[in-house]
Amino acid sequence: MNSLNQFVIDPNVVYLILLFGLWVAVTAAYIPGTGAIEVLAFVTLAVSIIALSSMPTNWVAVLLLVLGVISFLLVPFFSERFAILAQGGLILQAVGGALLFNGLSVSWLVIAITIAIALLYHNFVLLPLLRSNRQAKIIFDDSLLVGMVGQVTSSFTASGSRYIGTVNVRSEQWTAYSSKPLAVGDEIAVIERDGLQLLVEGFKHKQAPKEEAVS
């Protein structure tokens, strides 16, 4: 029985349980809607909090560790441009792990291994998953936009071999281009999405535009 108690309150085990729960919670943000991942994260974090409450825990260090995991694994979720800067969260994770308990210590080897795993998990699992989800969303958005109708909000002026202006589609402003000039108020139909721009045609140039989809 004593050996079981020693195992439960081992600082390395509690640190790993807490870290695992945080990673699972972050993964749930990348794969929303499954339910099972959210439940696993909740149970794991609940167990870790109960264990921390029975130990000489440095709650400031817990906060640092949580912030480290969130900044490292979640910042790219909002903007992948900051993915490299987000790796500074690993420093907070290491400091939080090292100072997690008063009078007890988590093995630096365990901390180093978890940081390495976090780095690999971030670069080879979460980021590819994020890119895949975003690409799927772009394809889905394209399928909704093509064929929708809108209205010109700024006249199309010549730019090289095409005409560029602004249109309103689904209550959103888009930069658009056309093979012919269009005036403010002209109705248009979306032919294609090209990155952040739309290829459009005026109704007078298009024989059978599609009906606007119901959002």
Side-chain angles (χ1 to χ4, degrees):
M1 188 70 176
N2 290 336
S3 61
L4 178 60
N5 289 335
Q6 290 176 0
F7 175 77
V8 171
I9 65 172
D10 185 292
N12 294 305
V13 174
V14 176
Y15 166 76
L16 290 174
I17 294 174
L18 173 60
L19 204 57
F20 178 75
L22 291 172
W23 288 355
V24 173
V26 168
T27 302
Y30 282 75
I31 315 176
T34 62
I37 298 179
E38 287 84 351
V39 171
L40 177 60
F42 177 80
V43 171
T44 307
L45 289 173
V47 170
S48 66
I49 291 174
I50 293 173
L52 289 170
S53 299
S54 65
M55 300 178 69
T57 300
N58 179 354
W59 293 102
V60 174
V62 173
L63 179 61
L64 289 177
L65 195 153
V66 171
L67 289 176
V69 172
I70 290 176
S71 62
F72 176 61
L73 294 178
L74 271 188
V75 166
F77 181 79
F78 298 102
S79 178
E80 196 172 331
R81 292 178 299 174
F82 303 123
I84 296 179
L85 296 178
Q87 294 183 9
L90 290 175
I91 299 175
L92 292 179
Q93 180 178 315
V95 172
L99 304 176
L100 192 57
F101 302 106
N102 300 312
L104 299 172
S105 61
V106 178
S107 168
W108 274 106
L109 177 61
V110 172
I111 293 175
I113 291 174
T114 55
I115 288 177
I117 294 174
L119 189 60
L120 293 173
Y121 185 61
H122 174 263
N123 291 336
F124 296 104
V125 177
L126 292 184
L127 284 184
L129 182 62
L130 179 61
R131 295 187 187 108
S132 176
N133 289 341
R134 285 179 174 170
Q135 183 62 34
K137 184 177 184 299
I138 290 174
I139 294 173
F140 179 70
D141 288 346
D142 286 350
S143 67
L144 291 178
L145 280 171
V146 173
M148 296 194 70
V149 299
Q151 193 172 55
V152 176
T153 55
S154 69
S155 299
F156 281 51
T157 57
S159 176
S161 60
R162 61 186 182 180
Y163 295 84
I164 295 180
T166 306
V167 298
N168 184 297
V169 179
R170 296 179 64 190
S171 300
E172 294 181 347
Q173 295 294 320
W174 290 85
T175 298
Y177 61 93
S178 173
S179 60
K180 296 184 179 181
L182 296 167
V184 174
D186 285 353
E187 289 191 322
I188 54 88
V190 178
I191 306 302
E192 180 182 325
R193 178 177 174 176
D194 182 10
L196 297 178
Q197 296 185 338
L198 301 179
L199 169 61
V200 301
E201 285 187 5
F203 276 0
K204 61 182 179 181
H205 306 307
K206 188 175 178 64
Q207 294 182 352
K210 295 182 182 179
E211 293 288 334
E212 180 170 356
V214 178
S215 57

